[in-house]
Amino acid sequence: MPNLRARIPWTRPGSAVLPLSAAALIVGCVSSAVAGDYGFKVLYNFADAGDGGFPMAGVIKDGAGNLYGTTFYYNGASTPGTVFKLAPDGTETVLYHFADGNDGGYPNASLSQDEAGNLYGTTPLGGAGGDGVVFMLAPNGTQTVIHSFTGGNDGGVPRAGVMREKKGNLYGTAAGGCCGLVYRLSRDGRDKVLYNFLGGTDGDGPGASDRLIRDTAGNLYGTTVGGGAYGEGVVFKLAQDGTESVLHSFAGGSDGSIPVAGVIEDRAGNLYGTTYMGGGKGCSAGCGTVFKLAPDGTETVLYSFCSQTNCSDGGFPETGLVQDRAGNLYGTTLEGGAAGCGAVGCGTVFRLTPDGVETVLHAFTGGADGNSPNGLIQDTAKEKGDLYGTAQYGGASGAGTVFKVKK
């Protein structure tokens, strides 16, 4: 199994460089049990032979039912990634493949789409200075680089995608400065750094895998993988005037640590997210948590992974959550679930009810169904809301899958 994300590492302060893929992390999680499949279906198998391969992020969906996403490779390791479209009938079309030149290379994040059908995304490599780009892809396949990072004051190596607001401005995070930054790109490509993290109590290393979110007042919310009062990461709020507030500092242990993914917000203003480690269950440093952060700053751990025998409930959530109208949360874990994948489990899709009951909707086997799932989206056009996602590896050719699972 190629260790793709080791190309673009993230660093936990005071530790060695760690790849985002937990396949390279030495842990004590061993899996055995397999849950029901809840209507699990593979929609597409990547072959990495002109169609792309090894998707490192989830998909988005348009009103016609088409799915859009990115793959890390295009036609083997020497060709740096694609933007693809998957039609409802299963037909896959490569909309663009990167050259790792000025256009960028090796996309690692999910996309955003505007009303005209233009797609927006990032690459952590390539561009004029080699430090990554923000790009737009028109429906006719024309790619435009909106911004090439220089690795200087504007940052570089954007790991997360961009969030687009109604006025057309794009918001995102990147490495740079001391310990990462938050930026805004105007419609004409003008770049403005909104905040530089200092690596102390304010946080260190923002936006490792998910886009920022924005409330109706224009405040931005996200996470950092390190920093904070205990060095285990934070949830932050960034006001329009650039004032940063730490809403919660993770303490490790049962509280959780290393929030790799971003957060979502419900109508009452509660934030929900995951931590990659912590929780105090099953593993030496904990196998991760699902948490809730109330508007008054009260944090509640809703679930700690590896709470079941041999981590059959999953372990190490690397991506964010989606929520349905009943308040149920859905997400994925990178490991745990079923036996295989080096005896650590191949990952899960899970549901967590408001009262804390966790159900594994699908436990990946590492075979035809895939291995190491990315984040989910929910089909809001259907009352029951099917879930869609991608798996980084596995499938018919071993180069990953696009899948659907019922709630």
Side-chain angles (χ1 to χ4, degrees):
M1 179 190 302
N3 186 3
L4 306 182
R5 290 198 178 185
R7 293 177 58 97
I8 313 156
W10 58 276
T11 304
R12 183 184 177 193
S15 70
V17 171
L18 300 175
L20 272 182
S21 175
L25 188 64
I26 301 174
V27 295
C29 267
V30 180
S31 306
S32 59
V34 180
D37 66 6
Y38 284 83
F40 179 89
K41 182 180 180 181
V42 172
L43 302 178
Y44 188 76
N45 287 284
F46 291 99
D48 194 26
D51 64 336
F54 306 104
M56 295 290 110
V59 291
I60 61 172
K61 192 170 185 282
D62 68 16
N66 300 297
L67 300 175
Y68 301 86
T70 61
T71 65
F72 199 74
Y73 290 154
Y74 165 59
N75 187 20
S78 62
T79 48
T82 72
V83 176
F84 70 87
K85 171 183 175 181
L86 187 64
D89 66 359
T91 301
E92 193 252 20
T93 305
V94 172
L95 302 178
Y96 188 79
H97 62 85
F98 293 88
D100 198 22
N102 289 343
D103 64 333
Y106 302 99
N108 197 64
S110 59
L111 302 165
S112 299
Q113 189 175 42
D114 66 19
E115 297 80 3
N118 299 300
L119 299 169
Y120 300 84
T122 64
T123 71
L125 300 173
D131 288 287
V133 306
V134 177
F135 67 86
M136 181 184 80
L137 187 65
N140 66 1
T142 300
Q143 194 239 32
T144 302
V145 172
I146 299 173
H147 183 73
S148 281
F149 292 92
T150 67
N153 292 336
D154 65 334
V157 195
R159 290 297 308 267
V162 289
M163 183 273 296
R164 183 180 181 274
E165 47 97 337
K166 292 181 179 180
K167 293 181 179 179
N169 296 311
L170 303 174
Y171 296 84
T173 58
C178 170
C179 302
L181 55 82
V182 178
Y183 65 85
R184 180 183 68 205
L185 288 174
S186 63
R187 297 178 65 179
D188 60 5
R190 288 180 295 171
D191 173 71
K192 181 179 181 179
V193 173
L194 301 179
Y195 187 78
N196 277 293
F197 290 91
L198 301 178
T201 56
D202 66 329
D204 185 351
S209 75
D210 276 341
R211 294 187 295 268
L212 299 167
I213 63 169
R214 188 170 185 261
D215 66 18
T216 55
N219 302 300
L220 300 171
Y221 299 85
T223 63
T224 69
V225 298
Y230 309 98
E232 301 288 346
V234 308
V235 179
F236 69 85
K237 171 184 174 182
L238 188 63
Q240 289 194 75
D241 64 1
T243 301
E244 192 244 19
S245 304
V246 171
L247 303 180
H248 183 72
S249 286
F250 292 94
S254 60
D255 179 50
S257 66
I258 313 179
V260 176
V263 291
I264 61 172
E265 185 179 28
D266 68 15
R267 293 180 180 179
N270 300 297
L271 301 176
Y272 300 86
T274 61
T275 65
Y276 184 70
M277 298 181 75
K281 302 286 185 179
C283 314
S284 59
C287 298
T289 71
V290 177
F291 67 86
K292 172 184 176 182
L293 191 60
D296 65 0
T298 302
E299 189 241 16
T300 304
V301 173
L302 302 178
Y303 191 79
S304 294
F305 288 96
C306 284
S307 297
Q308 298 176 13
T309 303
N310 295 328
C311 295
S312 59
D313 58 331
F316 303 102
E318 190 185 61
T319 58
L321 303 164
V322 294
Q323 187 176 44
D324 66 18
R325 293 179 181 178
N328 299 301
L329 298 168
Y330 302 85
T332 65
T333 65
L334 198 67
E335 296 185 7
C341 301
V344 296
C346 303
T348 72
V349 177
F350 68 86
R351 176 180 63 215
L352 187 65
T353 63
D355 58 358
V357 176
E358 193 245 24
T359 302
V360 173
L361 303 181
H362 183 74
F364 290 85
T365 67
D369 60 337
N371 171 11
S372 304
N374 298 303
L376 301 172
I377 61 166
Q378 185 177 190
D379 187 355
T380 56
K382 295 183 178 181
E383 184 179 350
K384 294 184 178 180
D386 293 338
L387 303 168
Y388 296 84
T390 61
Q392 299 174 19
Y393 312 107
S397 301
T401 66
V402 181
F403 64 83
K404 179 177 76 172
V405 62
K406 294 184 180 298
K407 296 194 313 184

